[in-house]
Amino acid sequence: MTVSHTNPLRVGLRQERVIAPQCLVIFGASGDLTHRKLIPALFELFRQRRLPSEFAILGCARRPWSDEEFRRRMAEALADEIEQHQSAWAQFEGCLFYEPVDLEQPADVVRLGTRLEVIDRQRATRGNRTFYLSVSPAFYGSGCRSLAAAGLLKDPTRSRVVIEKPFGRDYGSAQQLNRVVQAAGQENQVFRIDHYLGKETVQNILVLRFANTIFEPIWNRNFIANVQITAAETVGVEERAGYYEDSGALRDMVQNHLTQMLALTTMEAPGRFDPEAIRNEKAKVLQAARLANEEEPWKCCVRAQYGRGGSAVNPVVGYREEPGVNPQSTTETYVAMKLFIDNWRWQGVPFYLRTGKRLPKRTSEVVLTFREAPVHLFDAAGGSPTANQLILRIQPDEGAEFLFEVKAPGSGMRSRPVDMQFSYDESFGEPSDEGYVRLLADAMLGDPTLFTRGDEVEAAWRLYTPLLELIEDNPALLPIHTYEAGTWGPGAADNLLADDGLMWRRP
């Protein structure tokens, strides 16, 4: 008798949709994102046999590289993977091409169109193109205009544009950029990417809520007391000081990543599993969100920077001592805030968001704390019973856990908290795809489900623009606190919850 060693939970997986023949054009091909994320993700898709044989990648940047130089540099970026998959790389590098292009020069973009026609014939890509703008945000609008002027976006069934974050700097700039982008092509051609949405556990929020009858009836203000959303990083600013000084944690993390997790956690059930139905509900809930104190917004937000920390053996410098950072910088590396959502489902439930660098642990999670039992019938070990919690672990240990009370062993009727845990790696036997793998595949498929629509982006910026204006016009009202590197942030952030008799969950 043959014994099967197949994990039964994996049966039926990898029934992936078919990506049509096409050419993926990466602007900013000489940049860090292309080396670290895009080419590795595309190589992973190739090794999983999810790319069509009629496929090409055209790297574009201002550097005067040749096809061979581009292939060599991408091979350097993938050295470890190539060592393990040499035969796959030998096939994959044949898909790589390069064309020097300055998006600000119309003649360069016209020449790009001619090169794409040649690649269409060489690789049988049938005129299908996905343009990926991995460039400075200052070139998003002009890049789309240049592509449109060269006629490269005229067919919405064959061409689309992927735009990296940040999409705008505030509500006004996001509106203006939307007008430019939407004038260059139709909304269904525009894919605003947020790599957090490529994570399995972020997507699993929808499945957990809408595929299980035990959760949705209690997913509201009648049963949930508060929600905490955390994205913590152990690293500092690293080599991103130039970008980070102009951005800060509010723009870099809250407006996009944390807000997308907020939207998926709080949206209403869509009428069907359809990209526009899902994005309609996300937009509606973000339009209902507000700062906890709109009249005095400084009272519902805390900003901070990490100071020196570590140990004598492994010291860590403070943010203002990092290379490239202004010694008098007032850019936040940590932000915490309190929000409300004014609708029937969530009225009165506080939402607490926080993110920071140089925190003790790398983790991203959504924590739903349920209301306490109306009457405490049993003595609890260690004091009062622990409130039930559902914890959705986004990274790095993707999964979920449910905290609830059970009877403690012994003759008395005492309760104690226990938790049930689910891990993606343990249940399915292999790690989930990295976010860019899923999102690049979806972009090439033309599936916008996990990409943000124009009105979603504007609603998110509208929510936080009062804080951004306050930082700009009256920074004394929203000062920069300091926290020691390796700690969970400033005491002022704890006070944000202490006023409600709560504490941040420590992962």
Side-chain angles (χ1 to χ4, degrees):
M1 182 176 66
T2 301
V3 179
S4 172
H5 296 285
T6 302
N7 181 341
L9 292 178
R10 294 204 59 78
V11 173
L13 299 188
R14 290 284 181 225
Q15 296 178 355
E16 306 291 352
R17 295 163 293 172
V18 178
I19 296 173
Q22 65 185 277
C23 181
L24 175 66
V25 183
I26 303 176
F27 296 103
S30 61
D32 182 61
L33 182 67
T34 301
H35 289 72
R36 287 191 308 108
K37 296 292 185 181
L38 302 184
I39 293 298
L42 289 163
F43 188 44
E44 176 67 18
L45 285 169
F46 181 83
R47 290 194 299 105
Q48 293 178 8
R49 301 187 178 186
R50 292 162 63 186
L51 295 179
S53 57
E54 306 92 343
F55 182 75
I57 299 167
L58 179 61
C60 298
R62 287 180 288 187
R63 297 186 184 185
W65 291 348
S66 63
D67 292 347
E68 291 72 23
E69 176 73 2
F70 181 54
R71 290 167 183 166
R72 183 183 68 79
R73 290 179 179 269
M74 295 304 103
E76 291 174 356
L78 284 169
D80 292 341
E81 289 88 346
I82 291 173
E83 188 173 347
Q84 301 175 50
H85 308 284
Q86 293 182 10
S87 61
W89 173 256
Q91 300 173 58
F92 180 74
E93 70 174 348
C95 301
L96 298 177
F97 303 89
Y98 184 84
E99 183 72 21
V101 172
D102 183 344
L103 276 171
E104 299 285 278
Q105 300 297 322
D108 281 14
V109 184
V110 171
R111 176 166 41 81
L112 169 65
T114 303
R115 181 68 191 278
L116 284 170
E117 291 174 358
V118 173
I119 291 174
D120 282 342
R121 292 192 293 271
Q122 287 178 330
R123 301 290 301 179
T125 51
R126 306 181 192 178
N128 298 317
R129 289 90 180 251
T130 298
F131 299 98
Y132 198 116
L133 295 181
S134 178
V135 296
S136 166
F139 298 109
Y140 292 164
S142 60
C144 289
R145 276 196 298 261
S146 296
L147 291 171
L152 297 177
L153 298 179
K154 63 182 179 182
D155 188 345
T157 66
R158 292 184 177 273
S159 59
R160 58 189 67 91
V161 181
V162 182
I163 301 178
E164 270 287 339
K165 74 173 185 72
F167 193 91
R169 287 183 51 80
D170 55 21
Y171 182 47
S173 62
Q175 285 183 306
Q176 182 178 3
L177 183 55
N178 264 335
R179 286 193 290 269
V180 171
V181 170
Q182 290 164 352
Q186 298 179 17
E187 175 64 33
N188 62 7
Q189 291 177 272
V190 182
F191 291 70
R192 300 167 188 82
I193 198 167
D194 184 335
H195 71 266
Y196 254 57
L197 291 181
K199 298 181 184 298
E200 290 282 9
T201 319
V202 174
Q203 300 164 43
N204 189 49
I205 295 173
L206 292 177
V207 178
L208 188 82
R209 290 187 58 191
F210 303 131
N212 298 289
T213 57
I214 63 172
F215 292 120
E216 186 58 18
I218 58 173
W219 206 275
N220 56 56
R221 61 188 175 87
N222 296 320
F223 295 93
I224 294 176
N226 65 83
V227 179
Q228 296 182 20
I229 301 177
T230 296
E233 301 177 274
T234 56
V235 299
V237 71
E238 297 183 302
E239 298 176 358
R240 301 173 68 220
Y243 163 76
Y244 207 83
E245 271 288 87
D246 190 51
S247 172
L250 188 52
R251 287 187 172 96
D252 184 51
M253 290 292 291
V254 176
Q255 183 273 333
N256 38 72
H257 300 334
L258 271 70
T259 303
Q260 285 299 313
M261 289 193 282
L262 173 71
L264 291 170
T265 303
T266 58
M267 62 180 269
E268 295 297 321
R272 60 191 182 281
F273 191 75
D274 170 85
E276 293 313 309
I278 292 170
R279 301 202 293 179
N280 286 343
E281 297 302 336
K282 286 167 61 185
K284 283 194 289 188
V285 78
L286 291 180
Q287 288 160 3
R290 65 172 174 85
L291 299 174
N293 191 332
E294 293 181 296
E295 299 299 320
E296 299 174 310
W298 57 89
K299 291 185 177 180
C300 59
C301 180
V302 173
R303 300 167 65 235
Q305 282 179 352
Y306 62 84
R308 294 181 180 181
S311 63
V313 177
N314 187 25
V316 174
V317 301
Y319 176 71
R320 295 180 181 180
E321 300 168 293
E322 298 276 15
V325 173
N326 182 346
Q328 283 79 45
S329 173
T330 58
T331 299
E332 76 280 353
T333 64
Y334 177 101
V335 63
M337 65 180 63
K338 178 181 176 181
L339 306 173
F340 285 112
I341 296 176
D342 290 334
N343 64 16
W344 277 75
R345 182 183 291 268
W346 296 111
Q347 188 67 37
V349 176
F351 291 82
Y352 303 97
L353 279 58
R354 66 170 170 170
T355 185
K357 292 187 174 294
R358 291 290 186 205
L359 300 182
K361 184 177 180 180
R362 175 177 173 259
T363 186
S364 294
E365 64 180 24
V366 178
V367 181
L368 297 99
T369 300
F370 292 85
R371 298 192 182 279
E372 292 186 7
V375 178
H376 294 162
L377 298 175
F378 313 107
D379 294 331
S384 58
T386 303
N388 300 150
Q389 287 186 326
L390 180 61
I391 300 149
L392 310 178
R393 300 191 306 268
I394 309 301
Q395 66 177 17
D397 180 19
E398 295 185 327
E401 58 186 286
F402 184 49
L403 188 69
F404 59 100
E405 293 282 314
V406 300
K407 181 186 178 299
S411 59
M413 289 296 289
R414 302 186 69 199
S415 68
R416 62 173 296 174
V418 297
D419 64 84
M420 293 191 299
Q421 298 204 26
F422 154 70
S423 166
Y424 263 94
D425 289 359
E426 292 179 8
S427 295
F428 295 108
E430 66 180 48
S432 305
D433 282 337
E434 195 271 343
Y436 276 101
V437 174
R438 171 67 190 270
L439 293 174
L440 279 169
D442 281 3
M444 290 185 286
L445 283 160
D447 182 349
T449 305
L450 299 178
F451 297 83
T452 52
R453 204 169 58 190
D455 54 347
E456 282 185 70
V457 174
E458 291 183 16
W461 279 120
R462 179 198 58 77
L463 178 57
Y464 303 115
T465 290
L467 294 174
L468 296 170
E469 291 176 344
L470 193 64
I471 295 168
E472 182 94 13
D473 301 333
N474 202 344
L477 286 174
L478 205 54
I480 285 286
H481 298 270
T482 302
Y483 60 99
E484 181 183 346
T487 66
W488 279 107
D494 295 332
N495 296 336
L496 196 64
L497 277 74
D499 292 343
D500 297 331
L502 303 171
M503 297 174 60
W504 290 107
R505 173 182 133 82
R506 294 295 162 90

